[in-house]
Amino acid sequence: MHSSKIKKKIDRFRILIIGRANAGKTTILQRVCNTKENPEIFNSAGEKIDAAVLTASRERGEHDIDNEMVFKTNPGFIFHDSRGFEAGGESEYDKMNKFIADRSKEADIKDRIHTIWYCIPMDQASRCFTEAETKFFSHCDTGTIPVIVIFTKFDALYATEFTRLIENGMSRKDAKRLAPKHAKNSFANGPQVKLLYDPKTIRRPPKCHVCLPDMNKDDADCGPLIERTAGTLDDQVLQQLFVSTQQTNLEFCMKYAVETYLPIICLPRALLTIVQSTCKACCPRWENII
């Protein structure tokens, strides 16, 4: 289906983001939408919520998961935030669980949740799963909605590896250069990842996970999250919508278009037309690049 027809049918890609307070959720959303501004908030009726009203509700500890967060730089995404889940007990968990169940049954695909991002920060002292996280992956029925775990603030592990490499006799220069790679390798075989996919403990594991470091830096790369999210979408229409909506990874947009359509077409001009239709939403300068 042509990207213009997909946009008309589904309109926007809808994501539920879950995680502890200070897990870096807003920063990730800003990176995905290529902005440093805060999102606008709308209620379920599509009415914009006044900032003062929103602040007052937060001070009272109130939060409505049905509220929609939209960034002006990329209105093609709608985000829902499940806040306070880690400390809210049964009440917050039940609200989140009901929200997922209700949204998965929506008749219109545009009103469903298309993906869930679950953020777990790595800068915490224990860096262990909380009871809320274990409960989510053991009991929450997400149906066919793909869940991706995002290990945020992953650069916090670099210092640990840097110290270990120094203690093993490596120079400070080499230790600083190699710490990120060693942290990634150690984490891949560490207790967090093993627990996340342990069938004895986790009954409903995520589709995959991704580690995101340095999201607070100007050159932060959320490309791995974009690629993993697209890879978990079984519906090709949703996959194409997601790829055409994201604006931060033109290289992946091109790769997706070529790998998806190259096997079924022969003419170079046909390939060019399809790549352009998929990518031009991501990069206004696409024609100049070609």
Side-chain angles (χ1 to χ4, degrees):
M1 186 183 297
H2 193 276
S3 58
S4 62
K5 293 183 179 179
I6 292 175
K7 291 283 188 180
K8 183 179 291 187
K9 179 180 180 181
I10 305 180
D11 189 25
R12 293 183 286 183
F13 194 88
R14 194 178 296 270
I15 297 173
L16 169 63
I17 188 165
I18 305 174
R20 312 173 196 173
N22 301 315
K25 293 180 291 182
T26 300
T27 301
I28 289 174
L29 300 187
Q30 288 172 329
R31 286 299 177 194
V32 170
C33 293
N34 197 25
T35 184
K36 292 184 179 180
E37 297 181 356
N38 289 324
E40 294 180 325
I41 311 296
F42 299 86
N43 61 24
S44 56
E47 302 167 336
K48 186 176 179 179
I49 301 176
D50 183 82
V53 175
L54 191 64
T55 300
S57 65
R58 287 174 178 171
E59 291 175 351
R60 293 193 299 268
E62 299 173 0
H63 174 67
D64 190 345
I65 194 173
D66 281 298
N67 287 344
E68 301 177 347
M69 299 189 298
V70 179
F71 290 89
K72 289 183 179 179
T73 54
N74 194 345
F77 281 119
I78 295 177
F79 300 102
H80 295 268
D81 183 8
S82 179
R83 296 181 179 177
F85 172 37
E86 73 278 7
E90 292 296 325
S91 176
E92 289 301 325
Y93 175 82
D94 290 344
K95 289 179 183 177
M96 181 271 304
N97 204 23
K98 184 178 185 303
F99 175 80
I100 293 175
D102 290 346
R103 286 286 180 167
S104 65
K105 298 173 184 176
E106 288 283 357
D108 197 329
I109 190 173
K110 71 180 180 63
D111 295 322
R112 300 175 193 168
I113 292 297
H114 303 135
T115 290
I116 297 174
W117 290 343
Y118 200 118
C119 298
I120 302 176
M122 288 291 100
D123 65 336
Q124 303 296 326
S126 62
R127 294 170 181 153
C128 295
F129 288 169
T130 64
E131 181 180 345
E133 289 154 359
T134 302
K135 183 175 183 179
F136 177 87
F137 291 108
S138 297
H139 301 292
C140 186
D141 185 3
T142 56
T144 60
I145 305 172
V147 180
I148 299 173
V149 167
I150 307 173
F151 290 106
T152 63
K153 304 184 179 182
F154 192 75
D155 49 293
L157 300 183
Y158 295 173
T160 302
E161 287 300 315
F162 175 81
T163 301
R164 187 181 66 80
L165 292 172
I166 290 291
E167 291 174 348
N168 289 338
M170 187 175 291
S171 68
R172 294 182 64 86
K173 181 179 179 180
D174 287 342
K176 183 178 181 180
R177 176 174 57 87
L178 294 174
K181 180 179 179 180
H182 280 255
K184 185 176 181 179
N185 292 339
S186 297
F187 185 77
N189 299 304
Q192 291 97 339
V193 173
K194 289 182 179 179
L195 176 61
L196 190 61
Y197 299 101
D198 183 1
K200 296 180 181 179
T201 306
I202 304 298
R203 295 173 52 197
R204 303 179 185 277
K207 282 273 190 176
C208 63
H209 68 275
V210 62
C211 303
L212 294 185
D214 301 319
M215 285 293 104
N216 59 321
K217 295 184 178 180
D218 290 338
D219 60 348
D221 179 20
C222 61
L225 175 60
I226 298 299
E227 293 189 32
R228 291 295 180 90
T229 300
T232 62
L233 296 169
D234 296 328
D235 188 306
Q236 190 173 7
V237 172
L238 282 179
Q239 189 180 61
Q240 189 173 342
L241 173 67
F242 175 77
V243 172
S244 63
T245 299
Q246 67 88 26
Q247 298 178 355
T248 58
N249 195 332
L250 176 61
E251 181 180 353
F252 172 69
C253 195
M254 295 167 60
K255 179 182 176 182
Y256 168 82
V258 172
E259 291 183 350
T260 301
Y261 297 108
L262 185 58
I264 61 173
I265 60 178
C266 299
L267 297 177
R269 187 61 195 174
L271 171 60
L272 181 59
T273 300
I274 290 185
V275 172
Q276 284 179 325
S277 68
T278 307
C279 297
K280 66 181 180 181
C282 301
C283 182
R285 302 184 303 277
W286 172 253
E287 288 79 2
N288 296 332
I289 295 174
I290 292 297

